[in-house]
Amino acid sequence: MTTTATRRTAGGPRSRPSRGGGGPSLWFLAPAGILFLGFAVIPLVGAVGLSFTRWSGLGSPEWTGGDNWAWFLTDDVTYITLQVTLLVMVGSWLVQTPISLLLGTWIARSGGFRSVAGLVFFVPLLLSSAAVALAYKNLLDPNFGLSTETGFGWLAHNWLGDRNTVLLVVILIISWHFIPLHTLLYQGAVRQVPTSMYEAASLDGAGRVTQFFTITIPQLKHTIVTSSTLMLVGSLTYFDLIFVMTAGGPGYATRVLPLHMYLTGFRSAEMGKASVIATFLAVFGLILALLLTRLSGFTKMQSQQEGA
Amino acid sequence: MTVTAPVAASGSPVALPPRAQGPRRRARRSRPNVPGGILGLLWLVIVVLPLYWVVVTSLRSGPTFFVDSPLSLPSEPTLENYGKVFDSGFLGFFMNSVIVTVATVVIAVFCSLLAAYTIVRNAHPVARGSFSFALLGLAIPLQAAIIPIYYMITQLGLYDTLVALIIPSAAFALPLTVVILVNFLRDIPNEIFESMRIDGASNWAMLWQLVLPLSKPALITVAIYNGMQVWNGFLFPLVLTQSPSVRVLPLALWSFQSELTVDVPAIMAAVTLSVLPILTLYIFGRRQLVAGLTAGFGK
């Protein structure tokens, strides 16, 4: 008993069974495997196949070769939506990262007002995108929204109807919705930074701001990567909020890729063309995720656990 | 005995709520963090103001809506807007959301637990490969698969049913759930498995008597996270259902908006009602949720 225990722990706290140990049968993987292959992987491959067909959504798809791809590459709207998607991606990263980093660092040291604030900060994340979209759509209405309140006159502007402001507003609202998640990530990470580091810095006379830049940020490197990956890849999926709030308008001002795909497929009944956008979206997401994990050595997520 | 000690030792980094270090840290604090406090207060206002407006607006009567100033308390508070929402089938939509969410979470978490257990305890390359597969799966946006899913669901004759929402939602919940559970289960020391095996326990017995109870915090985390995702999900319901009888809450909000375009107080009542159930859960399960999410994603 004791011998087995010591022999095992010598390898580290992790437990990888010896080969002859006879772990659970591989059949235990089957339910998850079938579900994931059947309703995520096969559909994804199916999207690639459908991108070479013409299909209205009813009846059978008919083979058309590269026509849809040619359309995608030459259509002006493609480049507009691509640009809008990138703007949303970069913009929401720029807004969310500093705010959630600062808020997370601040709430990490609990006590009094911070605890109460931390409780309330989380609430936007609980709302559905549809609810957030409807609330803001009406809140920003120039006729009866917040701008008609005394002191908020500066808000009087048709924010969602003006193609110069709508994208910024959408980015800010997305940020409002998702900052709680990232604040939480940073909050958890800051709590894991050894207190002794701050104590040593204090003794050296480093102020709060210096400590933030010389200790907190370097220590949070991996969290910044995790959070940024979630934000950037996640911004490829922003659909519901924009769909409910602006439906992509005015014009094409807020038409992000997922929305472009939905409108092309389910509104214009061009499933083949929409599948091109879907394929592009999947490849884009995958490349982005791989790039981010490679660049940052974020495979740490795995190696940390492998005991490296 | 040799068995219990490592559990505590290696289990603690996960199980220990981060707050446990609170008092020691607070002792360190010498002077109040003024800039932090100002930022916190400012953000509090930014978070609360829209929520307050939604609730206050939902209590306004139609005639006073355009007269009252937006942030003032309603001059003639009324619940009639809530009545309207209930009259248009809120309870049915609510029940649909409950059914879809509970079924999805149960299926996704159960399948993921089986898979995670195998990935951690079976050294076969297929098991190891499955983990990389799950990691890769994290990057797949569900939007990208929606058209073929729509095709499959119609072919299976499931279009416009609640099952049509449950199956794909569960499939897309798998990768993250597996990854979080694997990371958690890896911290269960091998000795416990070994000693149970010596006692002749089967893999199922180990799953039920050891893995399940020990992974409870992780299971609760993934259940809550997936539950939130499904409860608020919009695209699958939008594409895969049609009839009011299978409508879920986020979609109900959206259709409400088109039916009641100008009746803003009623729309805000619907928004409030749609948020209320999950807000209630949050108020009661806040500790678990926040600690769980921090541990689940922070690893």
PDB file of all heavy atoms in Angstrom, chain A residues 73-88:
ATOM      1  N   LEU A  73     -15.741  35.896 -53.188  1.00  0.00           N
ATOM      2  CA  LEU A  73     -14.488  36.634 -53.344  1.00  0.00           C
ATOM      3  C   LEU A  73     -14.650  37.931 -54.131  1.00  0.00           C
ATOM      4  O   LEU A  73     -13.847  38.840 -53.990  1.00  0.00           O
ATOM      5  CB  LEU A  73     -13.439  35.741 -54.012  1.00  0.00           C
ATOM      6  CG  LEU A  73     -12.978  34.560 -53.144  1.00  0.00           C
ATOM      7  CD1 LEU A  73     -12.063  33.642 -53.928  1.00  0.00           C
ATOM      8  CD2 LEU A  73     -12.287  35.046 -51.864  1.00  0.00           C
ATOM      9  N   THR A  74     -15.693  38.008 -54.938  1.00  0.00           N
ATOM     10  CA  THR A  74     -15.832  39.202 -55.776  1.00  0.00           C
ATOM     11  C   THR A  74     -16.917  40.160 -55.273  1.00  0.00           C
ATOM     12  O   THR A  74     -16.987  41.295 -55.732  1.00  0.00           O
ATOM     13  CB  THR A  74     -16.163  38.823 -57.229  1.00  0.00           C
ATOM     14  OG1 THR A  74     -17.291  37.949 -57.214  1.00  0.00           O
ATOM     15  CG2 THR A  74     -14.987  38.132 -57.898  1.00  0.00           C
ATOM     16  N   ASP A  75     -17.757  39.665 -54.359  1.00  0.00           N
ATOM     17  CA  ASP A  75     -18.859  40.502 -53.899  1.00  0.00           C
ATOM     18  C   ASP A  75     -18.347  41.610 -52.974  1.00  0.00           C
ATOM     19  O   ASP A  75     -17.559  41.353 -52.066  1.00  0.00           O
ATOM     20  CB  ASP A  75     -19.891  39.642 -53.169  1.00  0.00           C
ATOM     21  CG  ASP A  75     -21.174  40.400 -52.894  1.00  0.00           C
ATOM     22  OD1 ASP A  75     -21.562  41.212 -53.748  1.00  0.00           O
ATOM     23  OD2 ASP A  75     -21.775  40.180 -51.827  1.00  0.00           O
ATOM     24  N   ASP A  76     -18.797  42.833 -53.226  1.00  0.00           N
ATOM     25  CA  ASP A  76     -18.354  43.962 -52.400  1.00  0.00           C
ATOM     26  C   ASP A  76     -18.766  43.795 -50.942  1.00  0.00           C
ATOM     27  O   ASP A  76     -18.038  44.182 -50.031  1.00  0.00           O
ATOM     28  CB  ASP A  76     -18.953  45.272 -52.931  1.00  0.00           C
ATOM     29  CG  ASP A  76     -18.331  45.661 -54.256  1.00  0.00           C
ATOM     30  OD1 ASP A  76     -17.231  45.133 -54.564  1.00  0.00           O
ATOM     31  OD2 ASP A  76     -18.936  46.456 -54.988  1.00  0.00           O
ATOM     32  N   VAL A  77     -19.952  43.221 -50.760  1.00  0.00           N
ATOM     33  CA  VAL A  77     -20.471  43.095 -49.393  1.00  0.00           C
ATOM     34  C   VAL A  77     -19.522  42.252 -48.531  1.00  0.00           C
ATOM     35  O   VAL A  77     -19.360  42.507 -47.341  1.00  0.00           O
ATOM     36  CB  VAL A  77     -21.895  42.490 -49.410  1.00  0.00           C
ATOM     37  CG1 VAL A  77     -22.441  42.357 -47.996  1.00  0.00           C
ATOM     38  CG2 VAL A  77     -22.814  43.355 -50.253  1.00  0.00           C
ATOM     39  N   THR A  78     -18.890  41.262 -49.151  1.00  0.00           N
ATOM     40  CA  THR A  78     -17.932  40.433 -48.416  1.00  0.00           C
ATOM     41  C   THR A  78     -16.912  41.296 -47.700  1.00  0.00           C
ATOM     42  O   THR A  78     -16.640  41.109 -46.510  1.00  0.00           O
ATOM     43  CB  THR A  78     -17.172  39.506 -49.378  1.00  0.00           C
ATOM     44  OG1 THR A  78     -18.127  38.714 -50.069  1.00  0.00           O
ATOM     45  CG2 THR A  78     -16.205  38.610 -48.637  1.00  0.00           C
ATOM     46  N   TYR A  79     -16.362  42.249 -48.435  1.00  0.00           N
ATOM     47  CA  TYR A  79     -15.298  43.049 -47.853  1.00  0.00           C
ATOM     48  C   TYR A  79     -15.826  44.021 -46.814  1.00  0.00           C
ATOM     49  O   TYR A  79     -15.143  44.324 -45.836  1.00  0.00           O
ATOM     50  CB  TYR A  79     -14.495  43.714 -48.968  1.00  0.00           C
ATOM     51  CG  TYR A  79     -13.842  42.641 -49.808  1.00  0.00           C
ATOM     52  CD1 TYR A  79     -14.429  42.174 -50.980  1.00  0.00           C
ATOM     53  CD2 TYR A  79     -12.679  42.022 -49.366  1.00  0.00           C
ATOM     54  CE1 TYR A  79     -13.860  41.137 -51.700  1.00  0.00           C
ATOM     55  CE2 TYR A  79     -12.105  40.978 -50.071  1.00  0.00           C
ATOM     56  CZ  TYR A  79     -12.694  40.536 -51.242  1.00  0.00           C
ATOM     57  OH  TYR A  79     -12.138  39.502 -51.925  1.00  0.00           O
ATOM     58  N   ILE A  80     -17.050  44.474 -47.023  1.00  0.00           N
ATOM     59  CA  ILE A  80     -17.649  45.338 -46.008  1.00  0.00           C
ATOM     60  C   ILE A  80     -17.850  44.556 -44.716  1.00  0.00           C
ATOM     61  O   ILE A  80     -17.466  45.003 -43.628  1.00  0.00           O
ATOM     62  CB  ILE A  80     -19.001  45.919 -46.500  1.00  0.00           C
ATOM     63  CG1 ILE A  80     -18.782  46.760 -47.754  1.00  0.00           C
ATOM     64  CG2 ILE A  80     -19.665  46.736 -45.400  1.00  0.00           C
ATOM     65  CD1 ILE A  80     -20.061  47.181 -48.439  1.00  0.00           C
ATOM     66  N   THR A  81     -18.439  43.344 -44.829  1.00  0.00           N
ATOM     67  CA  THR A  81     -18.715  42.572 -43.613  1.00  0.00           C
ATOM     68  C   THR A  81     -17.414  42.152 -42.933  1.00  0.00           C
ATOM     69  O   THR A  81     -17.330  42.125 -41.716  1.00  0.00           O
ATOM     70  CB  THR A  81     -19.539  41.308 -43.908  1.00  0.00           C
ATOM     71  OG1 THR A  81     -18.864  40.524 -44.889  1.00  0.00           O
ATOM     72  CG2 THR A  81     -20.906  41.655 -44.398  1.00  0.00           C
ATOM     73  N   LEU A  82     -16.430  41.856 -43.738  1.00  0.00           N
ATOM     74  CA  LEU A  82     -15.135  41.469 -43.183  1.00  0.00           C
ATOM     75  C   LEU A  82     -14.554  42.616 -42.356  1.00  0.00           C
ATOM     76  O   LEU A  82     -14.042  42.434 -41.252  1.00  0.00           O
ATOM     77  CB  LEU A  82     -14.191  41.104 -44.319  1.00  0.00           C
ATOM     78  CG  LEU A  82     -13.081  40.125 -44.003  1.00  0.00           C
ATOM     79  CD1 LEU A  82     -13.661  38.821 -43.479  1.00  0.00           C
ATOM     80  CD2 LEU A  82     -12.248  39.865 -45.249  1.00  0.00           C
ATOM     81  N   GLN A  83     -14.671  43.809 -42.938  1.00  0.00           N
ATOM     82  CA  GLN A  83     -14.153  44.990 -42.268  1.00  0.00           C
ATOM     83  C   GLN A  83     -14.922  45.254 -40.973  1.00  0.00           C
ATOM     84  O   GLN A  83     -14.320  45.525 -39.925  1.00  0.00           O
ATOM     85  CB  GLN A  83     -14.288  46.178 -43.225  1.00  0.00           C
ATOM     86  CG  GLN A  83     -13.476  47.375 -42.826  1.00  0.00           C
ATOM     87  CD  GLN A  83     -13.788  48.567 -43.731  1.00  0.00           C
ATOM     88  OE1 GLN A  83     -14.503  48.442 -44.733  1.00  0.00           O
ATOM     89  NE2 GLN A  83     -13.273  49.713 -43.364  1.00  0.00           N
ATOM     90  N   VAL A  84     -16.252  45.124 -41.057  1.00  0.00           N
ATOM     91  CA  VAL A  84     -17.074  45.351 -39.869  1.00  0.00           C
ATOM     92  C   VAL A  84     -16.712  44.332 -38.790  1.00  0.00           C
ATOM     93  O   VAL A  84     -16.551  44.677 -37.614  1.00  0.00           O
ATOM     94  CB  VAL A  84     -18.576  45.260 -40.231  1.00  0.00           C
ATOM     95  CG1 VAL A  84     -19.437  45.288 -38.980  1.00  0.00           C
ATOM     96  CG2 VAL A  84     -18.972  46.380 -41.165  1.00  0.00           C
ATOM     97  N   THR A  85     -16.542  43.068 -39.211  1.00  0.00           N
ATOM     98  CA  THR A  85     -16.207  42.018 -38.246  1.00  0.00           C
ATOM     99  C   THR A  85     -14.880  42.312 -37.553  1.00  0.00           C
ATOM    100  O   THR A  85     -14.763  42.196 -36.333  1.00  0.00           O
ATOM    101  CB  THR A  85     -16.115  40.649 -38.950  1.00  0.00           C
ATOM    102  OG1 THR A  85     -17.295  40.464 -39.734  1.00  0.00           O
ATOM    103  CG2 THR A  85     -15.983  39.517 -37.963  1.00  0.00           C
ATOM    104  N   LEU A  86     -13.891  42.708 -38.348  1.00  0.00           N
ATOM    105  CA  LEU A  86     -12.581  43.009 -37.763  1.00  0.00           C
ATOM    106  C   LEU A  86     -12.646  44.206 -36.823  1.00  0.00           C
ATOM    107  O   LEU A  86     -12.032  44.214 -35.763  1.00  0.00           O
ATOM    108  CB  LEU A  86     -11.548  43.254 -38.868  1.00  0.00           C
ATOM    109  CG  LEU A  86     -11.096  42.000 -39.609  1.00  0.00           C
ATOM    110  CD1 LEU A  86     -10.231  42.361 -40.808  1.00  0.00           C
ATOM    111  CD2 LEU A  86     -10.345  41.064 -38.672  1.00  0.00           C
ATOM    112  N   LEU A  87     -13.430  45.213 -37.215  1.00  0.00           N
ATOM    113  CA  LEU A  87     -13.571  46.389 -36.357  1.00  0.00           C
ATOM    114  C   LEU A  87     -14.208  46.014 -35.028  1.00  0.00           C
ATOM    115  O   LEU A  87     -13.780  46.467 -33.969  1.00  0.00           O
ATOM    116  CB  LEU A  87     -14.410  47.462 -37.059  1.00  0.00           C
ATOM    117  CG  LEU A  87     -13.692  48.309 -38.110  1.00  0.00           C
ATOM    118  CD1 LEU A  87     -14.672  49.227 -38.818  1.00  0.00           C
ATOM    119  CD2 LEU A  87     -12.582  49.140 -37.447  1.00  0.00           C
ATOM    120  N   VAL A  88     -15.241  45.172 -35.091  1.00  0.00           N
ATOM    121  CA  VAL A  88     -15.900  44.750 -33.860  1.00  0.00           C
ATOM    122  C   VAL A  88     -14.917  43.957 -33.000  1.00  0.00           C
ATOM    123  O   VAL A  88     -14.822  44.148 -31.787  1.00  0.00           O
ATOM    124  CB  VAL A  88     -17.152  43.892 -34.165  1.00  0.00           C
ATOM    125  CG1 VAL A  88     -17.691  43.246 -32.897  1.00  0.00           C
ATOM    126  CG2 VAL A  88     -18.224  44.734 -34.816  1.00  0.00           C
TER     127      VAL A  88
END
